[in-house]
Amino acid sequence: MIKKLITSLLGRARPAPQRTKLAIKTGRRVDVPHAEHGIDVTLVDERAIKVVETLKHAGFEAYIVGGAVRDLLLGLRPKDFDVATNATPEEVKALFRRAFIIGRRFRIVHVVYGRGRDHEVIEVSTFRAYVDAADAEQVKGNEKTAKAELAGKNHVVDASGRVLRDNVWGPQIEDAARRDFTVNALYYDPQTQIVVDYHHGIRDAKKRVLRMIGDPMHRYREDPVRVLRVIRFAAKLGFEIEPQTREPIREAAELLANVPASRLFDEMIKLLQTGHALASVEELRRHGLDRGIFPVLEAALGGAAPGSERERFVKLALADTDRRVGEGKPVAPSFLLACLLWHDVRDGWQQGLDRGQPPFVALQEAIDAAFDARIGDISGRGKLAADMREIWMMQPRFDKRVGSGPLTLVEQPRFRAGFDFLRLRAQVGEIDAALSQWWEAFSTADPAERQALLEQARKEQGPKRARAPRKAASARRDEDVGRPVRIVPPGEVEQAGHAEAGEPADGAAEASEEAATAEEGAPRKRRRRRRKPAGGAGEGAAPSGAVGPDGGHGSDD
């Protein structure tokens, strides 16, 4: 009763306003029964079914739509489910307890189930009318420069015909016509198990062909990102690109210059995390799109000679990502991006060292330069960049295998990502494989085995200069009265595992403080010294960061 009351108060979706004749064929509706399409309903997410049922119970049309239907036809379990309906965003929101209207370019509703990392979002969109660019309002600027002109408008294009706003509601037949490829313009009703097909999408799915609806160049002009989508789908699905759809790709790629950098960055992440990253890169090369579009990919592949260390490193990283996606494991974009930009960072790091900079200072400056050149403001201040930075800054710390440093390092939340990165470096011969093997053994060892490994590393790295035992603090103070304080050279200070660039080790810091006090002529303060446990910090138990030998991309596991 409540749902029907809300529906009656809000009303139904209004018909599209009068427009001139459409410049695209709308197709003809064909209802395909289960006996012909053969979709296994058990592959459909129960929450997507629930959304469809709720909308239909309220008197609206509702279907699972797009890529989910395409994957179901291929016998695949879709990763995401989208629903299309003739209900407006406000009407959809009123029917669900946790629903949020988002977006400006396309106003849609996110219906949320569950909480935390296990939550799921069903995206619900309203059937849109197909409005030709010639009939739409036009602005001279783009999303950023024409914000005032875009306010309150439902369908707007820029000077090139790229759609900036698309929020004109219409019938399902036009909603199908405005979708990009025939295999993405399919509507599935899980209750009746009917697939609604307007553009022979089922036929193309069976033939494994990607075909653009309407004139390809016209459709690329509406949304240049379709150039990248056709590449991604071809690589992911193993589909052939139909000749008329393929022919204008290079010409249309020039239109990507008008697309916001953040949207291109998101599309690149999708390309690399479909489980077919290697195939996607090859598809980009085949169509001449590997340069001038993605600065990150250009950094990784543009200067890589065939068979070079850089090319082998990037291919290993892409293959590792594909493997994890294939095994149903999570992948962290920060890990893959850190791999793609590593040689930019490493070269800049070496240049800093050649100029005499301290190692960690040189590394930090090289990282900043790589972000400025290849990523810019997209993610340079976000968690993605912070995780990438942590992976890179961890690399020189793996060289320190004495004192409490290794015990501290394996406790780091991103240790697994840093170690996987180290292992890739060893696989291409950039570092000694023995270092990677030592850390793998250390991360999985029990406390006694760790002590043996630390002793082994100490012997391999050579003996340290012998030091006399420390005297009691009171005796040392009595002896030191009136005596100049000697600052201990760094070579005589025990490594504590956390003394990095710009951070003197504990002994050096104390000596420097005492020297400063003596020079000022002030009496020394009584200081309370903190005793270390006899066995070294954290030796009584294996660190919580200890991990097994399986490869991972860090804390995302």
Side-chain angles (χ1 to χ4, degrees):
M1 289 295 294
I2 294 176
K3 291 180 181 177
K4 290 183 178 179
L5 176 61
I6 292 173
T7 300
S8 64
L9 290 173
L10 292 175
R12 294 289 191 269
R14 300 293 182 265
Q18 292 294 320
R19 300 181 309 281
T20 58
K21 187 178 179 180
L22 295 176
I24 191 171
K25 292 182 179 179
T26 54
R28 182 175 61 86
R29 175 172 176 143
V30 177
D31 289 353
V32 182
H34 179 268
E36 291 185 34
H37 62 68
I39 287 178
D40 183 357
V41 73
T42 63
L43 295 176
V44 182
D45 189 288
E46 61 182 9
R47 284 160 286 201
I49 295 176
K50 187 175 181 180
V51 169
V52 170
E53 290 175 345
T54 301
L55 286 163
K56 293 182 73 174
H57 182 71
F60 298 105
E61 294 180 67
Y63 301 84
I64 293 171
V65 69
V69 185
R70 179 200 65 221
D71 290 349
L72 289 168
L73 283 171
L74 299 174
L76 305 174
R77 185 180 297 276
K79 182 180 178 183
D80 302 303
F81 285 85
D82 298 339
V83 171
T85 177
N86 63 339
T88 65
E90 291 76 16
E91 289 170 334
V92 174
K93 185 178 186 301
L95 292 173
F96 298 92
R97 186 170 60 88
R98 296 181 65 209
F100 309 91
I101 298 175
I102 66 165
R104 296 189 189 91
R105 185 167 178 260
F106 300 119
R107 291 181 71 235
I108 58 177
V109 180
H110 277 180
V111 179
V112 183
Y113 291 95
R115 297 184 182 275
R117 294 186 64 177
D118 295 328
H119 82 285
E120 182 176 357
V121 174
I122 305 299
E123 189 171 287
V124 183
S125 62
T126 303
F127 293 153
R128 282 169 168 76
Y130 183 85
V131 182
D132 190 75
D135 299 325
E137 295 184 69
Q138 188 178 112
V139 296
K140 294 181 180 179
N142 55 34
E143 293 91 336
K144 291 185 177 180
T145 60
K147 284 185 177 179
E149 294 180 75
L150 292 171
K153 294 182 178 178
N154 291 327
H155 197 279
V156 184
V157 298
D158 66 10
S160 68
R162 182 168 65 92
V163 178
L164 304 181
R165 292 287 186 274
D166 186 7
N167 294 302
V168 180
W169 318 135
Q172 184 187 53
I173 191 171
E174 290 188 21
D175 186 77
R178 55 164 292 281
R179 294 181 180 271
D180 48 15
F181 309 108
T182 59
V183 294
N184 289 342
L186 298 167
Y187 301 79
Y188 175 58
D189 183 343
Q191 290 184 320
T192 63
Q193 298 196 43
I194 293 292
V195 172
V196 180
D197 185 358
Y198 288 95
H199 299 279
H200 306 292
I202 292 179
R203 181 193 65 188
D204 287 345
K206 290 180 178 179
K207 290 184 176 180
R208 307 185 74 83
V209 169
L210 284 170
R211 186 190 312 273
M212 187 74 75
I213 297 173
D215 175 65
M217 190 62 202
H218 181 79
R219 305 310 303 281
Y220 288 136
R221 193 173 290 111
E222 287 178 344
D223 185 4
V225 168
R226 287 172 176 154
V227 170
L228 303 176
R229 285 169 59 82
V230 73
I231 297 294
R232 173 157 59 91
F233 291 143
K236 174 185 176 181
L237 304 170
F239 279 25
E240 286 294 323
I241 303 175
E242 182 261 339
Q244 289 185 352
T245 303
R246 183 180 62 246
E247 186 178 349
I249 283 179
R250 292 200 184 195
E251 179 185 352
E254 298 176 3
L255 300 170
L256 290 168
N258 297 325
V259 176
S262 58
R263 192 166 175 227
L264 285 180
F265 189 83
D266 290 342
E267 195 64 32
M268 183 193 68
I269 296 297
K270 291 178 183 177
L271 271 170
L272 300 177
Q273 293 195 166
T274 60
H276 302 83
L278 282 169
S280 296
V281 169
E282 289 305 313
E283 198 71 28
L284 286 170
R285 280 177 167 164
R286 186 177 300 122
H287 292 87
L289 304 179
D290 55 326
R291 294 176 182 244
I293 297 175
F294 302 121
V296 173
L297 279 181
E298 196 166 339
L301 303 168
S308 65
E309 178 189 294
R310 177 189 290 238
E311 185 188 58
R312 287 185 288 120
F313 185 82
V314 170
K315 283 189 173 181
L316 276 174
L318 295 175
D320 185 60
T321 300
D322 288 347
R323 174 186 63 82
R324 289 181 61 80
V325 174
E327 293 174 357
K329 296 179 179 179
V331 291
S334 55
F335 180 86
L336 185 54
L337 290 174
C339 292
L340 295 178
L341 287 179
W342 170 239
H343 285 79
D344 267 19
V345 171
R346 192 189 69 176
D347 293 347
W349 185 17
Q350 185 59 54
Q351 291 169 11
L353 294 175
D354 293 343
R355 292 193 299 268
Q357 291 181 317
F360 278 86
V361 173
L363 180 54
Q364 286 171 338
E365 290 192 1
I367 291 171
D368 290 339
F371 274 130
D372 290 342
R374 305 296 187 179
I375 295 183
D377 295 332
I378 296 169
S379 299
R381 300 292 182 267
K383 184 179 184 301
L384 184 68
D387 289 346
M388 292 167 64
R389 188 180 295 271
E390 191 171 357
I391 290 169
W392 288 327
M393 295 299 293
M394 206 179 288
Q395 298 311 299
R397 297 180 63 186
F398 284 113
D399 293 328
K400 301 177 181 180
R401 293 180 289 155
V402 294
S404 61
L407 294 166
T408 303
L409 187 56
V410 295
E411 289 280 4
Q412 298 297 317
R414 300 289 296 170
F415 169 78
R416 184 77 232 179
F419 168 72
D420 284 345
F421 195 90
L422 180 82
R423 187 176 56 185
L424 287 179
R425 294 173 63 203
Q427 284 182 261
V428 297
E430 182 184 329
I431 59 170
D432 190 345
L435 180 64
S436 170
Q437 293 164 2
W438 187 92
W439 276 101
E440 183 162 0
F442 186 81
S443 68
T444 59
D446 60 33
E449 292 170 334
R450 287 185 173 181
Q451 285 305 309
L453 287 166
L454 288 170
E455 181 63 22
Q456 170 198 335
R458 188 187 66 79
K459 290 178 180 178
E460 289 175 356
Q461 294 181 2
K464 290 185 175 296
R465 187 179 300 180
R467 297 181 61 188
R470 290 181 180 271
K471 296 184 179 181
S474 58
R476 189 166 65 251
R477 279 195 300 272
D478 292 341
E479 290 180 2
D480 287 345
V481 173
R483 181 191 303 169
V485 176
R486 170 177 171 268
I487 297 179
V488 182
E492 297 182 13
V493 179
E494 283 189 12
Q495 288 185 332
H498 52 75
E500 297 176 353
E503 296 182 8
D506 293 339
E510 291 168 9
S512 299
E513 265 187 52
E514 292 179 6
T517 306
E519 288 171 3
E520 294 169 5
R524 292 181 180 84
K525 295 181 181 179
R526 293 179 63 87
R527 50 161 80 264
R528 298 177 67 181
R529 300 187 63 82
R530 185 173 60 188
R531 292 185 179 180
K532 294 182 178 180
E539 293 175 8
S544 60
V547 291
D550 174 58
H553 285 195
S555 57
D556 301 285
D557 280 335

